[in-house]
């Protein structure tokens, strides 16, 4: 069974400060992990993925995420937040034997000018 | 950059009526998906489709739902006899054949059942 936890419904950060959006997961096999961002009235935009290899993956708009197998985490990070980063962020997992994505409940990021 | 397109952007339907939501996946993608997001809740998987047949479906995807690829470009979700609780955003997604590729999502159709 797959599950994803995003423990924070809301994250507020000042513009220019580093941001972290947390995600932990549970799968029976090896995970494929993804981050998506959703702006108002839009669909989900792919940010980055972890499949295998380097634990630190870099994605769009300066975002990166670190895969930590022992902690079953895949936190999203950015060194310097922009006001335009304010959006809803979803972590998702796909078990290697499955075809569909299983999403977390989402974290609303607000970057304060 | 190629996109997944969905029509209509908003559909209002009377309870008990049938509704068809339409999607045009990215042209060279072969895996197709429907997800839904009830207001304020998380995105939930409905169904995946490959090689002209359903490959996986969730518990939500009961006999009320069906999917079809009627031609080489469209992928549709039909909901028969809609219920109030079917009100949600419905997202279509598509993926390349390589298993490590991400799914790309459309902007969704907001379905409102009255």
């Amino acid at each position: 069974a797959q599950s994803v936890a995003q423990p924070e419904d809301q994250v507020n950060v000042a513009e220019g400060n580093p941001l972290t959006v947390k995600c932990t997961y549970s799968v029976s096999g090896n995970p494929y992990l993804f981050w998506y961002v959703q702006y108002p009235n839009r669909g989900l935009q792919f940010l980055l993925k972890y499949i295998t290899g380097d634990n630190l993956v870099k994605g769009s708009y300066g975002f990166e995420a670190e895969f930590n197998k022992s902690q079953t985490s895949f936190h999203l990070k950015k060194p310097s937040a922009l006001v335009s980063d304010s959006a809803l962020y979803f972590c998702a997992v796909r078990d290697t034997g499955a075809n569909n994505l299983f999403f977390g409940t989402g974290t609303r990021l607000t970057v304060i000018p | 950059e190629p996109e997944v397109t969905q029509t209509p952007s908003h559909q209002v339907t009377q309870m008990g009526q049938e509704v068809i939501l339409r999607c045009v996946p990215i042209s060279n993608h072969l895996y197709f998906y429907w997800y839904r997001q009830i207001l304020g809740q998380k995105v939930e998987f409905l169904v995946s489709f490959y090689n002209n047949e359903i490959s996986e479906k969730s518990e939500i995807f009961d006999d009320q739902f069906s999917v079809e690829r009627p031609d080489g470009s469209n992928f549709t979700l039909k909901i028969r006899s809609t219920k109030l609780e079917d009100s949600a955003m419905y997202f279509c997604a598509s993926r390349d054949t390589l298993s490590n590729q991400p799914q790309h999502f459309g902007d969704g159709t907001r379905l409102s059942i009255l």
Side-chain angles (χ1 to χ4, degrees):
Chain A
Q2 309 168 85
S3 68
V4 176
Q6 292 183 244
E8 302 155 317
D9 291 335
Q10 174 83 42
V11 169
N12 296 325
V13 64
E15 185 178 22
N17 282 3
L19 69 87
T20 299
V21 183
K22 296 179 181 177
C23 172
T24 59
Y25 67 90
S26 174
V27 294
S28 55
N30 291 319
Y32 291 174
L33 293 157
F34 304 84
W35 276 101
Y36 285 84
V37 60
Q38 186 179 31
Y39 295 99
N41 300 315
R42 298 299 303 275
L44 301 167
Q45 290 183 37
F46 168 71
L47 275 181
L48 50 78
K49 65 178 179 180
Y50 172 82
I51 304 299
T52 187
D54 267 347
N55 289 341
L56 184 65
V57 293
K58 294 185 184 296
S60 307
Y61 312 119
F63 284 93
E64 58 190 30
E66 186 165 12
F67 171 63
N68 187 317
K69 188 173 183 178
S70 62
Q71 296 185 4
T72 62
S73 67
F74 189 56
H75 301 330
L76 180 70
K77 300 183 180 188
K78 187 173 182 180
S80 178
L82 300 172
V83 172
S84 56
D85 293 330
S86 299
L88 192 54
Y89 290 81
F90 289 96
C91 181
V93 67
R94 179 160 71 89
D95 203 336
T96 46
N99 196 14
N100 59 294
L101 291 175
F102 195 89
F103 285 87
T105 50
T107 299
R108 185 164 300 282
L109 173 69
T110 301
V111 181
I112 302 162
Chain B
E1 186 176 329
E3 293 183 340
V4 175
T5 57
Q6 291 186 243
T7 55
S9 56
H10 191 189
Q11 174 79 46
V12 181
T13 301
Q14 291 289 328
M15 185 173 61
Q17 296 297 305
E18 175 183 283
V19 66
I20 297 176
L21 309 183
R22 303 182 190 279
C23 170
V24 179
I26 294 173
S27 62
N28 62 339
H29 287 185
L30 296 180
Y31 286 88
F32 313 121
Y33 306 82
W34 283 101
Y35 291 81
R36 81 172 183 190
Q37 185 182 30
I38 294 172
L39 186 63
Q41 299 186 23
K42 66 179 180 180
V43 178
E44 301 172 292
F45 168 72
L46 292 177
V47 66
S48 61
F49 191 87
Y50 172 71
N51 200 25
N52 284 320
E53 61 183 22
I54 291 173
S55 51
E56 280 181 66
K57 59 182 181 179
S58 71
E59 293 175 352
I60 303 168
F61 195 87
D62 59 21
D63 291 344
Q64 180 194 11
F65 294 89
S66 62
V67 289
E68 192 179 27
R69 187 153 165 81
D71 53 43
S73 59
N74 289 284
F75 178 53
T76 62
L77 174 69
K78 182 189 289 186
I79 310 175
R80 286 181 284 274
S81 189
T82 49
K83 299 176 284 198
L84 292 175
E85 53 264 39
D86 294 328
S87 296
M89 281 290 287
Y90 288 80
F91 293 107
C92 175
S94 69
R95 177 171 71 82
D96 196 349
T97 50
L98 295 173
S99 62
N100 63 358
Q101 291 303 303
Q103 295 177 23
H104 294 269
F105 286 77
D107 283 344
T109 294
R110 180 171 297 283
L111 178 63
S112 301
I113 306 300
L114 304 179

